[in-house]
Amino acid sequence: EAQVTQNPRYLITVTGKKLTVTCSQNMNHEYMSWYRQDPGLGLRQIYYSMNVEVTDKGDVPEGYKVSRKEKRNFPLILESPSPNQTSLYFCASSLQMNTEAFFGQGTRLTVV
Amino acid sequence: SQQGEEDPQALSIQEGENATMNCSYKTSINNLQWYRQNSGRGLVHLILIRSNEREKHSGRLRVTLDTSKKSSSLLITASRAADTASYFCLEGAQKLVFGQGTRLTINP
């Protein structure tokens, strides 16, 4: 089954404690991206990757890091989480940037 | 912000009626896509319309695109309770930008 898998689905953490949200896709897609969704602000792109070892900033990259060492995986790293990073995060993948995107189920992160 | 705007922000109609939502965007596009999101879950792709297309149909969905006005509309005909969700447009060429979304409620 074609899917994008994010883990964990829910996470509560404390300020400053490094965390990683994993994202994996099984469709051999080249393009992957991370979004955060906040009430009243919609979905905003954090980072995207056009292919292995190619990543670039989206609209709200501050406080986040990503890596794309393998085609299937695109982890999101918060080196020092802060409360303003409390949000609902989505990973997505698509064959290319402007083609149909498949989304993970989301990770609800709370930073206290 | 590069985010597009969707209109209306919220729409409540009776089951069986048609629902129309609009999306205006700011950048040049290769195509425009519409997605549905059910209460905080992952987004699901509905339909893609290319920049050289003016109208596209898929089942009960009809999408139009006016590149001169930088706007698109999504029409859902004969709405059902299961259509209750938020609907987003996604556009962009170099970067992908979501609209703010329209929250659609279908009342039985």
Side-chain angles (χ1 to χ4, degrees):
Chain A
E1 180 190 354
Q3 60 183 6
V4 177
T5 304
Q6 284 179 238
N7 280 297
R9 294 287 310 279
Y10 302 92
L11 179 60
I12 301 175
T13 190
V14 296
T15 298
K17 185 176 181 182
K18 180 180 178 179
L19 67 91
T20 299
V21 184
T22 63
C23 174
S24 181
Q25 50 96 1
N26 63 0
M27 295 166 278
N28 203 36
H29 284 168
E30 291 188 350
Y31 186 85
M32 297 186 74
S33 56
W34 277 101
Y35 299 87
R36 61 177 290 174
Q37 185 174 28
D38 303 288
L41 296 176
L43 286 126
R44 295 176 292 168
Q45 192 177 51
I46 303 170
Y47 268 95
Y48 63 95
S49 169
M50 302 285 274
N51 212 327
V52 176
E53 301 292 0
V54 181
T55 63
D56 209 345
K57 297 177 181 178
D59 288 324
V60 288
E62 295 78 19
Y64 304 95
K65 283 175 57 177
V66 293
S67 69
R68 187 92 183 272
K69 292 184 171 60
E70 309 163 281
K71 202 169 190 177
R72 64 183 293 126
N73 295 323
F74 191 46
L76 179 70
I77 303 156
L78 285 72
E79 294 270 3
S80 183
S82 63
N84 65 12
Q85 293 178 297
T86 292
S87 186
L88 178 59
Y89 292 85
F90 289 101
C91 177
S93 76
S94 56
L95 201 57
Q96 296 175 347
M97 190 181 78
N98 279 293
T99 57
E100 176 186 352
F102 293 78
F103 281 78
Q105 286 301 300
T107 295
R108 190 168 292 279
L109 172 66
T110 302
V111 184
V112 298
Chain B
S1 168
Q2 295 183 45
Q3 279 188 304
E5 295 181 2
E6 297 197 43
D7 166 49
Q9 290 189 353
L11 178 62
S12 181
I13 61 173
Q14 294 300 121
E15 194 166 16
E17 294 180 339
N18 295 341
T20 299
M21 52 207 91
N22 304 296
C23 166
S24 61
Y25 56 91
K26 300 179 181 180
T27 63
S28 61
I29 61 170
N30 295 326
N31 60 48
L32 186 140
Q33 303 177 55
W34 285 89
Y35 288 80
R36 183 186 72 225
Q37 183 183 35
N38 290 91
S39 88
R41 299 179 67 179
L43 282 76
V44 175
H45 182 265
L46 294 176
I47 194 167
L48 179 153
I49 185 166
R50 302 191 188 286
S51 59
N52 61 355
E53 296 176 312
R54 291 297 166 260
E55 187 172 311
K56 196 165 185 178
H57 297 254
S58 177
R60 293 184 296 113
L61 305 179
R62 173 181 164 242
V63 170
T64 62
L65 179 65
D66 187 335
T67 52
S68 66
K69 295 181 179 177
K70 293 191 174 178
S71 68
S72 174
S73 67
L74 171 67
L75 168 68
I76 303 174
T77 60
S79 63
R80 305 167 181 168
D83 295 329
T84 293
S86 292
Y87 292 82
F88 296 88
C89 63
L90 174 62
E91 47 88 4
Q94 294 302 316
K95 288 185 179 180
L96 296 178
V97 180
F98 275 97
Q100 295 275 3
T102 293
R103 184 173 299 171
L104 175 64
T105 302
I106 309 299
N107 302 304

